[in-house]
Amino acid sequence: MAESAVGISSVTKTFPVETGILTALDDVSLTINNNEFFTLLGPSGCGKTTLLRLIAGFEYPTSGDIILFGASIQNLPPHQRPVNTVFQQYALFPHMTVAENVSFALEMLGRAKSERDKTVKQMLELVKMSDYAGRKPTQLSGGQQQRVALARALAPHPKVLLLDEPLSALDLKLRQAMRNELKHLQRETGITFIFVTHDQEEALTMSDRIAVMSQGKVQQIDNPVEIYENPVNQFVANFIGETNILDAVVSSVQGSSVHCTLGSGTVETSSDKPLRGGDKVKLSLRPEKIRLLPMNENGNLSGEILETTYLGTDTTYKIKTGNLMLDARDPNALSGSARFKPGDPVSLHIAPNAAKVLHD
């Protein structure tokens, strides 16, 4: 069993506001494993940054407890916690060189100069910034400044590194490159990373596990594949990637197999909760799970193409099937262009369990 690095036990955090009391976190419990890249994912105002600040010690819980490697830390001030934080704004000291910025925290901890110099050298090599040791932050690009901020946070060898949307200020290409850098750093150092983001793609590509949050509550915790493929409720299904939320009626149940009527036909799925014929359900169906076929080929449903959008690698289709509208995504790998045009009749093949029953 994996060793627990951080335990959040029934934590609630409230703030006084003009209209009364704002509940930022509502009885949140979760466990983050040692040497794990763990992501808190959700929209603005969901409580993810508040939770990070509680772990860092910048805020204190209204109720509940925060455990770090088996010991409660909720009453410790930030400087006594073996955690460091990398913020969205890197907060480098402009009058110091790169090396001096990285060395600063070590100096505050009373480390000997020889140890500081050795650690600074190691950290700058780790983040590929050795050639910039003598430069000032104003002489660096945004990506380089971020690397220095990471080196500074890693230098004291914290047990846990907290990252509060550190990629949001970077442009798309650099952000994508830094995802790989961060994951590599986490594996190289063996430090537990707790990463806050509202970007679903960031979370899916970097994380060992993800906690999806909404309105101060954790909606689902799992690895990226399970979060995407098996969302537990409508919020998670909608927030992670694109999906069709479809109203359907259970037509039959045979063992673990559930057949649902929707649009112009039926789809087969399964449910971990008991269902009966006639039950109304909501299904999540990802656009890429729908296979489009010419009308003369067999599929679960039939429909008509209403709109197409060319996206380079893919084409998206808006389709009417019965009384439903849904979106499908089709790769352009073979023809290099859309296979169907508005007005075309199509057959839709939806494999068993491609549509997921939502319980919320």
Side-chain angles (χ1 to χ4, degrees), residues 6-17:
V6 178
I8 308 298
S9 178
S10 300
V11 165
T12 293
K13 177 62 179 177
T14 61
F15 295 96
V17 293

Side-chain angles (χ1 to χ4, degrees), residues 298-356:
N298 290 330
N300 308 66
L301 311 174
S302 60
E304 178 188 349
I305 303 292
L306 299 183
E307 297 176 14
T308 68
T309 303
Y310 179 76
L311 299 175
T313 57
D314 305 309
T315 295
T316 60
Y317 297 91
K318 189 168 290 294
I319 303 165
K320 180 176 175 59
T321 172
N323 61 346
L324 291 179
M325 304 283 290
L326 52 82
D327 295 315
R329 182 181 285 262
D330 198 39
N332 296 327
L334 296 178
S335 65
S337 61
R339 294 193 297 133
F340 303 99
K341 62 183 185 299
D344 285 351
V346 288
S347 183
L348 286 67
H349 176 72
I350 299 168
N353 290 320
K356 306 295 181 180

